[in-house]
Each structure stands twice: as C-alpha cells, then as structure tokens.
Amino acid sequence: MAVLHRWKRIQCLHVFTRNLTGKCDYDLLVIGGGSGGLACSKEAAQLGQKVAVLDYVEPTAKGTKWGLGGTCVNVGCIPKKLMHQAALLGAAVKDAPKYGWQIPGTVCHDWTTMAEAVQNHVKSLNWGHRVQLQDKNVKYLNLKGSLVDEHTVRGVSKAGKETILTAKNIIIATGGRPKYPANIPGAVEHGITSDDIFWLKKSPGKTLVVGASYVALECAGFLTGIGLDTTVMVRSIALRGFDRQMAGLVTDYMEAYGTRFVWNSVPKRVDKLSSGALQVMWTDTETGCEHKDTYDSVLWAVGRAPETKTLGLDKLGIQLNKATWKIVVGADESTSVPNIFAFGDISEGRPELTPTAIKAGKLLARRLAGQSTELMNYDNVATTVFTPLEYGCVGLSEEEAERRHGGDGIEVYHAFYKPLEFTVAERDASQCYVKVICERGGDQKILGLHFTGLNAGEVMQGFSLGLQCGATYSQLLQTVGIHPTCAEEVVKIHITKRSGLDPTVTGC
Ligand code: FAD
Ligand code: NAP
C-alpha cells in the first residue's frame, strides 16, 4: 500500500512538472534496445532529437541473461548463424579428403570452444552497441519500461529503483520471447528454449527439438551438423507459411543428413530420471499411440510471445490483437494513441525479421523528426532459413500465387541442379532446386522466387532487388549468369512445370 501511495505521488508530481513547464525530458523515448529500437534511436539522435532508449532483459526460466542488442544479437540471428557456420565446417571437413586434404584421426567437435567463441563475439557486439549509443548521444538506460500516461514512462532497475521519464513521442520496440507449451508437465522445469541454447556452457547432447518452423529447424540443423543426435518433433507440417514443395526439400535434406523427424506427434510430459536423462512421452496424433524416449535436452521451439503484458498498455487503451497479444499498428507504425508508436516483432502483421525492424525504425525516426514522409514497404521482403541446406525465398509461394491468380494464371519455371562443390565431394544434390513463379500472361511478372542450396541468403539478396523493381521472366532471361555458381541456375531457368519435362540441369 505504502509503495502504491509513493508511486502515485511520484506520478502526480511528475505529470504536474511536465504540465507546468510544458516540456518533456526527451523528444523520443524508445522502450526496447533490440534491432529496431537501437536503429530508431540512433537515427533520431542523428537528426537532432533528444533520445533515450530503455533496454532490460528478464532472465529465462533457466537463469540465462545477456546484454544490450535484443534478440538478434544475443539469442537469434548472430549466434544462430555462427553455429550454423560451425555445422557447415563439419560438412566441409567430411568433403575435404575428396579434395586431397589428409586428415589424421577422427575429427570431433567441442561445444565449449564453439560456444565460448560465439559468446565472446556476442559480448563484443553488446559493447559496440553501448559505444555507438554514447557516440550518437542517445541516453541508454538499463531499465524495464512501462507506460504511465501518453507522455510518461516508468523505468525500474534490476535493484527495483524507479525512474520517471517524459517524452513527446514514445516508441515500443520490445520484441518477443520464446513460448513454453501449456499443460505439459515438466516442460518449464526440464526444457530450454532458443533463449538458452546459445549460452549453454556444456553441449546439450542428445536433443529433442519440439516445433517445426524457422527456429526449430535451424537449431536442429546445426545440432545435427556438429554431430549431436537430434530429433525434431512435428505436430503438423514443417515451415508453415512457406512454399510446401520447398519445405519438403529442406526436411528431406535434413533427414538424409542425419536429423530424425517424428511427424504428427505432440509431447505429453517430460520427466527427469534418476540418471539425469530426460524422459519424454508423446502421442502420435494419427494413431493415438503413445511413445517415449530419453534425451539429454529438450528444446522448445514452439513460437514466440510478444512482450506486451507488462507495458501498461491497457491503462492507455492501446489496441492489441487479442489472439496474438501484439500491438495493432497503422502503416506509419502508429498505435491507437497518437504519439505512441510500435514496430518490429511487437507489432501485428509484420514479418519477424531483423532487417524489417531496422528499416521500419529508421524510417519512423525520420518521419517523427519531420525529415521524411516515407513509409516502410513490407512487400517482397526476402528471407532465408539457415538449415543445413539453406532455403531462400522472396515473394509468393506457389500455393499463394495459385490462390491469388488461379492455376492457369501462373507459370512455374523450375530446375534441379547440382552445385559444382558437390560433384568432387560426391554429395547428393537431390534437394538443390530453383523455382521461379511468374504471371502467365503479359510480361510474365515474377511473383515468387525460391532457392535451396549453398549460400541461399547471398543468392536471394540480389534477386529481391529484381522483385522490388517488378522484374519479369524475360528480364530474368536477359540477365547473363556468373559461371560457375549456383545463382546462375536462376537466370538459366527455362522448363515449366506445366510442360512435364525433366527439370534436371545437365552439363554447363
Ligand atoms: P528484439 O530484438 O527482440 O528487441 C527487444 C528488446 O526489448 C529486447 O532487448 C528486450 O529484452 C527489450 N525489452 C522487452 N521488454 C522491455 C521493457 N519493458 N523495457 C525495456 N526493455 C524491454 N531474423 C532475421 O532477420 N534473420 C535471422 O537469421 C534470424 N534468426 C533468428 C533466430 C532466432 C533463434 C530467433 C529467436 C529470431 C531470429 N530472427 C532472425 C528474428 C529477429 O531476431 C527478430 O525479428 C528481431 O530481433 C526483432 O527485433 P525487435 O527490435 O523487434 O525486438
Ligand atoms: P513459429 O514460426 O511461430 O513456429 C512455431 C512452431 O512451433 C510451428 O512449427 C508450430 O506448429 C509449432 N508449435 C506451436 N505450438 C506447439 C505445441 N504446443 N506443440 C508442438 N509444436 C508446436 O515460431 P519460430 O520458429 O519461433 O519463429 C518465430 C519468428 O522468428 C519467425 O516467424 C521468423 O520470422 C523469425 N525467425 C527468423 C529466422 C530467419 O530469418 N532465418 C530464424 C528464426 C526465427 P504448427 O505449424 O502446427 O502451428
């Protein structure tokens, strides 16, 4: 009660101070120092705004915590891509003898060495972000923020100390955190999430990964690649929302290279045995049969929940989508309260990707500083799933193109190709594939482009420019390839699915 009274007094005093002087502490207060929040606050400061950014990390159920920079830097893209690289090196070591390398003895992987190196890199990025904020004159506050009114934010430190801050505009960029499944005994006590895996000091050992989207498949991919016994438990389909054929190629490749898949199954409980092993019981939803196996680790990769619950949004009537708990935003990232904005993973209907959060944040900062009216264009955002065989895409899936244009309204060009790197190494290339989906009539505008193979992200980035510019199939064909690459297969593509001809690329 005493705390409440003290809090109310602080609140009244502060609102009074702001109203009396008519001046706020800051032009812009950003809650959340992740990909989006940092980009936005630095841009705003460069444009002459007085800016503060609040960032605070609640430790995971296992006690894992990290520094400034948000999901991507600490528990997402960066450690994930580095561990993916560790796995790719393992594959390269297996290829190496075919290329003449003489490797004495067995090559094995040491988790601790990899994890320490990755964690040290992440820590250097945390430091880099702090320095950049200082250099750009952004005030960084390691506080957990919540809204008091439309111009006031309450920040609470780890020690519980309160700070009240006021600003003309407030931005919410608090991202999301991994979910645990509901009603599975032992899930939280014995399981970990992607917020823990990259910070483990010891190898997770034999691992069950539950879930089948980006996070699940990427983690299962690198765990398999560094030599761990890894199983993915899929309750429905893999990579929901992606092109079905491409998703199939990704999981086929993973299966061929050692990841186990348990399809149509949901976990029931997790128990810790006296040996320390985790016993997982699950139900096969097709047969109703129950099964069990033991693992060293269970990784829940069952989606992410937005960090909206403790922000005090209800007090201000900020509209949320009641199904996802994300903030409803307009095209200009505005919320239902005029001077409060939200973007990145916290906002409804946006891709959960770092580059979109960064770009949306920078553009918002420019608009708020009165320097621009440009809105974020969320169309044709390219993405890559960093599975052992990478999958990059931009634009529509074949299913979505067919839904929008009808089966007769699209032409699908495709090719199975063999990366040159696979030949000497005698690697199977059955899942290396390119698909270009075009409108059937007129100039055959390209609607979607899909690629599985080496360096899919690097391949896809340039082609995404093509789609932004409205590229057509004939322009694709006018483009001369770079030989010998995998990307050249995209510009050489000529066999339509409709023709029924064999799409296997032969020769140069
Ligand atoms: P975040 O980066 O999550 O930042 C939000 C910040 O706000 C966090 O630091 C959080 O602790 C803080 N915060 C939360 N609440 C408060 C509060 N009340 N007060 C103060 N601070 C608060 N995207 C890609 O583009 N490529 C990839 O390869 C990729 N790989 C990924 C791999 C994994 C395992 C995961 C989980 C995600 C990956 N993503 C990837 C997605 C990407 O990380 C996110 O889309 C991106 O980080 C979102 O940025 P954001 O600024 O919206 O939020
Ligand atoms: P997600 O895309 O929401 O996928 C959740 C997965 O978990 C789905 O396969 C879902 O199956 C399954 N699932 C949900 N509840 C379950 C339960 N109770 N039991 C078993 N399975 C369950 O989540 P995500 O993989 O965490 O990815 C979140 C976002 O992060 C992505 O949308 C992406 O934008 C971003 N990300 C990007 C990258 C990248 O750019 N490379 C990498 C990682 C993450 P159903 O399909 O049956 O629902």
Side-chain angles (χ1 to χ4, degrees):
M1 205 58 181
V3 173
L4 188 71
H5 278 138
R6 188 163 60 89
W7 165 231
K8 283 208 163 136
R9 208 173 58 240
I10 296 172
Q11 204 175 329
C12 291
L13 266 174
H14 211 89
V15 171
F16 178 66
T17 313
R18 172 164 53 79
N19 289 346
L20 197 70
T21 60
K23 204 157 161 40
C24 294
D25 303 332
Y26 294 95
D27 296 317
L28 186 64
L29 253 181
V30 180
I31 311 179
S35 308
L38 290 177
C40 180
S41 51
K42 285 185 284 183
E43 186 74 9
Q46 268 177 323
L47 295 171
Q49 303 264 294
K50 191 176 177 201
V51 188
V53 59
L54 280 74
D55 191 60
Y56 188 86
V57 179
E58 271 311 337
T60 69
K62 294 277 166 271
T64 314
K65 50 186 193 300
W66 50 86
L68 177 64
T71 302
C72 177
V73 168
N74 295 286
V75 285
C77 334
I78 301 299
K80 179 276 307 287
K81 182 91 188 280
L82 289 171
M83 292 196 181
H84 171 63
Q85 174 64 11
L88 293 182
L89 287 172
V93 168
K94 284 190 190 126
D95 290 350
K98 299 259 171 43
Y99 282 96
W101 288 100
Q102 293 173 14
I103 300 174
T106 331
V107 178
C108 52
H109 182 265
D110 178 54
W111 174 276
T112 311
T113 307
M114 171 187 73
E116 266 177 28
V118 170
Q119 289 159 16
N120 285 339
H121 178 66
V122 169
K123 285 176 191 161
S124 76
L125 296 178
N126 297 148
W127 175 247
H129 281 306
R130 288 185 79 139
V131 172
Q132 278 182 30
L133 290 180
Q134 211 168 15
D135 287 352
K136 296 210 154 68
N137 230 359
V138 176
K139 178 80 179 163
Y140 161 58
L141 298 154
N142 184 204
L143 302 175
K144 182 164 181 161
S146 60
L147 296 163
V148 175
D149 66 34
E150 71 268 38
H151 292 289
T152 311
V153 168
R154 174 195 185 215
V156 180
S157 74
K158 194 176 155 204
K161 187 169 170 277
E162 290 170 5
T163 307
I164 295 291
L165 304 143
T166 57
K168 187 172 159 226
N169 291 308
I170 295 172
I171 291 179
I172 304 168
T174 47
R177 296 292 290 266
K179 288 194 262 194
Y180 276 94
N183 307 323
I184 297 182
V188 181
E189 296 93 301
H190 306 310
I192 56 169
T193 69
S194 58
D195 275 0
D196 301 297
I197 185 99
F198 306 111
W199 293 90
L200 294 180
K201 294 207 160 40
K202 275 182 15 209
S203 167
K206 180 182 174 185
T207 304
L208 175 69
V209 180
V210 183
S213 200
Y214 273 97
V215 173
L217 296 190
E218 289 184 341
C219 290
F222 76 69
L223 292 174
T224 309
I226 60 170
L228 299 179
D229 183 337
T230 310
T231 302
V232 179
M233 188 168 288
V234 189
R235 74 170 175 188
S236 58
I237 55 169
L239 292 176
R240 184 178 296 286
F242 284 91
D243 186 283
R244 290 293 83 224
Q245 183 188 11
M246 303 307 291
L249 294 172
V250 168
T251 52
D252 285 353
Y253 185 92
M254 287 179 73
E255 268 187 305
Y257 281 84
T259 310
R260 298 171 209 270
F261 281 81
V262 178
W263 295 95
N264 303 309
S265 293
V266 285
K268 218 176 148 197
R269 59 180 301 121
V270 183
D271 294 294
K272 192 163 196 162
L273 304 178
S274 53
S275 64
L278 302 176
Q279 178 177 276
V280 180
M281 292 189 66
W282 72 88
T283 311
D284 182 319
T285 52
E286 280 197 334
T287 61
C289 291
E290 293 201 344
H291 303 272
K292 64 179 179 197
D293 200 352
T294 54
Y295 302 90
D296 299 311
S297 300
V298 176
L299 174 70
W300 302 106
V302 294
R304 297 174 62 77
E307 282 278 279
T308 37
K309 295 255 163 68
T310 58
L311 287 171
L313 304 178
D314 44 342
K315 274 187 295 193
L316 272 77
I318 292 184
Q319 201 190 337
L320 295 178
N321 177 326
K322 287 284 155 54
T324 60
W325 295 104
K326 288 191 175 191
I327 300 174
V328 176
V329 287
D332 59 353
E333 328 299 350
S334 57
T335 69
S336 48
V337 173
N339 68 305
I340 301 184
F341 300 82
F343 70 93
D345 284 10
I346 200 72
S347 50
E348 180 60 34
R350 306 300 198 212
E352 291 183 20
L353 297 171
T354 280
T356 50
I358 291 175
K359 197 160 182 54
K362 284 187 179 175
L363 290 173
L364 175 58
R366 286 177 209 161
R367 292 196 301 275
L368 291 178
Q371 303 283 320
S372 160
T373 53
E374 188 186 347
L375 295 174
M376 174 70 190
N377 174 6
Y378 289 99
D379 289 339
N380 286 330
V381 172
T383 183
T384 289
V385 188
F386 294 97
T387 33
L389 186 68
E390 296 175 5
Y391 164 36
C393 63
V394 58
L396 304 183
S397 65
E398 192 174 338
E399 292 78 18
E400 184 58 22
E402 211 171 298
R403 195 184 65 76
R404 293 193 197 178
H405 299 267
D408 286 337
I410 60 169
E411 196 71 272
V412 180
Y413 295 90
H414 67 157
F416 280 100
Y417 69 98
K418 186 159 195 155
L420 184 61
E421 294 83 341
F422 280 27
T423 53
V424 168
E426 293 173 29
R427 275 212 237 168
D428 179 30
S430 306
Q431 289 86 21
C432 295
Y433 182 67
V434 184
K435 176 157 82 171
V436 182
I437 304 156
C438 306
E439 282 177 0
R440 197 164 172 210
D443 289 343
Q444 290 199 286
K445 186 173 176 217
I446 302 172
L447 301 170
L449 210 153
H450 302 261
F451 174 95
T452 46
L454 304 173
N455 303 307
E458 314 297 342
V459 171
M460 206 44 60
Q461 188 66 81
F463 286 113
S464 72
L465 169 69
L467 262 81
Q468 273 304 338
C469 298
T472 62
Y473 176 63
S474 56
Q475 288 170 332
L476 190 74
L477 282 196
Q478 283 161 24
T479 308
V480 179
I482 301 169
H483 189 66
T485 63
C486 296
E488 71 177 317
E489 301 305 339
V490 179
V491 298
K492 285 172 20 190
I493 205 156
H494 65 283
I495 291 179
T496 64
K497 270 197 175 175
R498 197 181 307 281
S499 72
L501 294 172
D502 180 1
T504 309
V505 174
T506 48
C508 272

